[in-house]
Structure formats: C-alpha cells, structure tokens
Amino acid sequence: QLTGTIPSEIGNLKQLIEIWLYSNQFEGTLPSELGNLELLTTLHAYSNLLTGTIPSELGKLNKLTELWLYTNQLTGSLPSELGKLNGLTSFKVGDNLLTGMLPTELGLLNTLIELYLNQNHFQGTLPSEIGNLNKLAVISMIENQLTGTIPSEIGNLKQLTKIWLYSNQFVGTLPSKLGDLEVLSKLSVYSNLLTGAIPSEVGSLMELTILSLSQNELASSLPSELGNLKKLTELWLNENQLTGTLPSQLGELKELDVLTLNNNMFTGTFPTEIGNNLDLSTLCLNDNNFTGDLPSEIEATTDACT
C-alpha cells in the first residue's frame, strides 16, 4: 500500500534490470529519469494512481522487453519514441485516459507479442504499419474511439491468436485477409460501424472458437463456409442487417454453445440440421423474418434476446 510519488532518484540506479511497483497507490508522474536505466528489461507500474504523460525518455530503454502501465490515470498521447524499443515483447497501457492518434512508429516494434491499448480514448485510424508486427499474438484495442477501416495488413500477422477491436467506430468491410490468420482463436469486433458482407474467407479459420460480429451494420447473407469452423463455441451475429436464409452448414458446428441471430432480416425456415445436431445453451432468433415453425428439438432452448 505504498503511496507518494516514484522518486526521480530511481534514475541513478544504473544497474537496475527490473522494476516491480505494481498494485500500490503511487501517484504523480512517471519520472523521466527512468530513461537513464540502460539495462532495464522490465517496468511494471500497473494498478496505481499515476497521472501525467508517458515520458518520451522511455524510448531510450533499448533492452526493455515488458512495459506494463495499465490501470492508472495516465493522459496524453503515446510518444512516438516508443517505436525505438526494438526488444519490446509486451506493451500494456490499457485502462488509462490516453488520447490522440496511434503513432505509426508502433509498426517498428517487430519483436512485440502482446499489444494492449484497450479502454482509453484513442482516436484516428489503426495504422496499416501494424501489419509489420509479424510476431504479434494478441492485439486489444477495445473501448476506444478508433475510426477508419480495419487495415487489410492485419492479415500479415500469422501468429495472431486473439483480435479484440470491439466498441470502437470502425467502418468499412471486414478484410478478407483475416482468413489468412490460421492460428486465430478469438475475433471480436462487435459494436462498431462495419458494413458489407461477412467474408467467406473467415471459414478458413479452423482454430476459431469465438466469432463476435454483433452490433454492426453488416448486410448480405451468411457464407456457408462458416460451417467449416468446427471448433467454434460462440457465434454472435445479432443486431446487424443480415439477410437471406440460414445455411444448413451451421448444423455442422458441433461445439457451438451460443448462437445469436436476433435483430436481423433473415428469412425462410429454420434449418432442421441446427436443431438435430447442436446442443446450444443460448439461441436468439427474435426480430427476424423467419417463416414456419421451429424444429421441436430447439424450441425449448430459444431465448428472446435483446
């Protein structure tokens, strides 16, 4: 329960390799003198009450591998100098009050594995340079104010396992290049302004367990290729403008537990294959234009979902 400020004299400790200050009640700013610690590999100051900006001097720490500053009250924009951290593997600054555009220099962090910028007030676009981070496994940008399109270069990131981009203001279509991400397990882009069709290439994501596309403006019919996603446990499609009949191939998703289709414009009868083959805990169908009766196998599991 340490309080007060982090003393600037910490910058005199030139042999420091790791700094662990997390989960205290430190306040004030991060001292710029931290930039003097040339041997520093780890800086964990998350879960404090730190304010002010991220010092640009941190860009001098060329041995730094982990920079965790999340859950503070940091303000200002990300300094472009952070792009000089050419050994950084994990960068977490979520749950702060950071603003401004994402610097294109983020694309220089080619050793980065985890990038968490979630729950801030970032604006502007997701830089296409993000496609240079070919070791990236996790990207979280949720609950910001990001706009523009999701860059197709994201399809270059062959090590990605999780994409969290929900609750922003992304527009345009889902890039078909997402289908190149062979180890992707979770794709969540709900609550944006995405339009167009769901790319059939998404059906190539054989490791996908969660696909969350709800609360957008997606149109067109569902691609039958979604039936290839044999590991899928959750499929969230509610509150879009999706049309057409449901592909019977959805009945091949034997691991599926959650299927939300409500508040769309689906038509036709509900495929019996889904009722025969799936053991769903949640099935939302309301506010569509389905005709006919539901198969008796699934009537009991159907929720009216809002």
Side-chain angles (χ1 to χ4, degrees), residues 45 86 89 93 109 157 162 169 219 221 232 248 290 303:
N86 53 17
T89 60
V93 291
L109 301 174
L157 308 180
K162 299 180 181 70
Q169 298 170 36
S221 56
L232 203 64
S248 60
F290 291 121
D303 299 321

Side-chain angles (χ1 to χ4, degrees), residues 2-18:
L2 296 173
T3 58
T5 59
I6 299 172
S8 59
E9 289 81 1
I10 201 169
N12 298 334
L13 307 178
K14 299 295 172 52
Q15 301 305 308
L16 267 183
I17 297 174
E18 298 179 349

